Amino acid sequence: NCPGCACGSGRIEEEDHTMRIAIVTLPFHTNYGGVLQAYALRRVLMEMGHEASVLALRHGMPLPVWWKAPAVYARRVFVRLLRGAGAPEVFRELRYRRELPVVSSHVGRFVYEHISPEVINSYRDIREGQYDAFIVGSDQVWRPRYFGRIEDAFLGFTTGWEVLRVSYAASFGTSELEYSPAQLASCSALLGKFDAVSVREEDAVGICRDWFGCGNAVHVLDPVMLLGRDVYLDIVSRVPCSGAGGKLVSYILDDDFQKEHVVRFVANAGGMEVHDASVRPYDRRLPVSERVVPPLEHWLACIRDAAFVVTDSFHACVLCILFHKPFIAVGNRARGMARLKSLMEMCALEQRLVHGIDPGDDCRFFLDGPCWDDVDRRVLALRQVSLDFLCGALEK
């Protein structure tokens, strides 16, 4: 049975034994999708009858090690003198720690009310025997530029322990490998100790096999898709009006002219007003008070109420599929195309992934939306495969 499934099949039957499971994922920050996937995976595990905790580092952007700090800051000063304002900020970790509690205050409330993470200073704080199993995933948890010490994302801190090691829908974020030779060697050895491996993109199956020597990786759904739309509708039930009703909702992570053109073109073609649901927590041109990210429930309600959605966000596309909202996904190369491409292929929605709009297009194909019955059949079948993987992995 599917937990919270749109088909109404109910809860998963409880396992004969309860496992203590720790989920290793990306820091929450202000990322709606990152928060939602952690919520979904934890909920699924709990509906299986397990105890599940999401591990969260107290500071998502650690300061440089004290003995390295002088060299790190000196190098940044030098680079900034050479490149000017486009260079990395010298004391960005300090500013980040000062501003994050403000800009993420609403999202943080959802995290602590619905996820209740286990806050730790370091993965080295975890002790052997504290958990029976560790699950890595989902989101771009295996992308070095996002995780920090990437060996921790491969459970390097559990070396020598007798625990179950599983990845669920872990993502490299891109089809190009971003690991140094040393990182590749250490992470390949760590991945070889996993009891079960699953990834979120089809390309990642090949990366695991060809680069990490792991030939048994399985392609599964993002955790958000393991739950049906009724679960998310319940979350937003206290948001009766988002202001997006009947409008084209624009949710863009990285602004550029091409994406703005797509939004305007489709809005004009459909005679729709635009509701901009984008957030800009790191736009330093704005005062901090204007960068506070709205509650996650409000974001969900915007997609729930939209007549159409244009986005470059993976998880916004996921929710459009669950909520049956016609949408266009605009390619976002900076954040990785593999995840969008894989999602669209799984749901037979490849034509909704675009890089621009033909000026001669009347947009009827996009505005009419896909056959949702066909999409639902695909999602339900993939959901069962994904749940079977997760159940099987935890029985090893």
Side-chain angles (χ1 to χ4, degrees), residues 142 154 165-168 170 172 177 179 184-199 201-219 389 396:
W142 282 348
F154 289 84
R165 299 174 177 86
V166 176
S167 73
Y168 182 80
F172 296 100
L177 195 68
Y179 288 64
L184 182 60
S186 59
C187 293
S188 296
L190 291 169
L191 188 59
K193 300 180 185 299
F194 274 57
D195 298 279
V197 177
S198 68
V199 289
E201 290 84 36
E202 183 63 39
D203 286 353
V205 174
I207 291 176
C208 285
R209 180 188 62 245
D210 299 337
W211 291 93
F212 290 81
C214 174
N216 61 348
V218 178
H219 184 200
F389 166 84
K396 293 188 176 184

Side-chain angles (χ1 to χ4, degrees), residues 326-387:
F327 70 99
I328 286 178
V330 187
N332 191 335
R333 297 188 185 280
R335 294 177 185 259
M337 288 294 296
R339 58 202 186 124
L340 284 172
K341 179 173 177 287
S342 185
L343 175 65
M344 298 306 153
E345 288 176 348
M346 285 193 297
C347 298
L349 297 171
E350 296 95 328
Q351 290 177 291
R352 292 192 171 266
L353 177 58
V354 306
H355 297 285
I357 293 288
D358 185 339
D361 196 332
D362 65 3
C363 289
R364 286 315 330 159
F365 168 80
F366 297 111
L367 292 170
D368 290 343
C371 175
W372 291 115
D373 287 343
D374 291 343
V375 174
D376 283 346
R377 279 192 289 271
R378 287 174 175 270
V379 171
L380 287 173
L382 291 165
R383 184 178 291 163
Q384 193 59 58
V385 169
S386 302
L387 289 169

Side-chain angles (χ1 to χ4, degrees), residues 11 16-17 30-31 39 46 56 64 77 90 95 147 194 200 205 220 246 254 259 280 289 299 348-349 386:
R11 293 169 59 89
D16 292 333
H17 63 282
T30 55
N31 183 340
Y39 164 81
M46 292 177 67
V77 170
V90 177
R95 179 185 58 78
F147 196 85
F194 274 57
R200 195 177 66 182
V205 174
V220 296
D254 300 304
K259 294 168 188 173
R280 298 168 181 85
S289 61
W299 175 66
L349 297 171
S386 302

Side-chain angles (χ1 to χ4, degrees), residues 279-353:
V279 296
R280 298 168 181 85
Y282 305 118
D283 186 348
R284 292 169 56 204
R285 295 171 297 181
L286 301 173
V288 174
S289 61
E290 294 182 20
R291 289 188 262 150
V292 177
V293 175
L296 184 144
E297 295 92 335
H298 181 78
W299 175 66
L300 283 173
C302 286
I303 298 176
R304 175 198 64 189
D305 299 341
F308 195 94
V309 177
V310 175
T311 186
D312 59 353
S313 158
F314 173 87
H315 282 105
C317 290
V318 165
L319 290 166
C320 287
I321 291 168
L322 294 177
F323 286 170
H324 291 180
K325 297 295 177 178
F327 70 99
I328 286 178
V330 187
N332 191 335
R333 297 188 185 280
R335 294 177 185 259
M337 288 294 296
R339 58 202 186 124
L340 284 172
K341 179 173 177 287
S342 185
L343 175 65
M344 298 306 153
E345 288 176 348
M346 285 193 297
C347 298
L349 297 171
E350 296 95 328
Q351 290 177 291
R352 292 192 171 266
L353 177 58

Side-chain angles (χ1 to χ4, degrees), residues 118-147:
E118 180 72 22
V119 180
I120 57 176
N121 292 313
S122 165
Y123 288 107
R124 266 115 226 112
D125 291 347
I126 305 298
R127 295 290 176 257
E128 184 175 5
Q130 191 172 346
Y131 297 101
D132 304 307
F134 288 84
I135 297 182
V136 178
S138 173
D139 223 346
Q140 300 182 61
V141 69
W142 282 348
R143 196 169 189 181
R145 68 172 66 179
Y146 288 169
F147 196 85

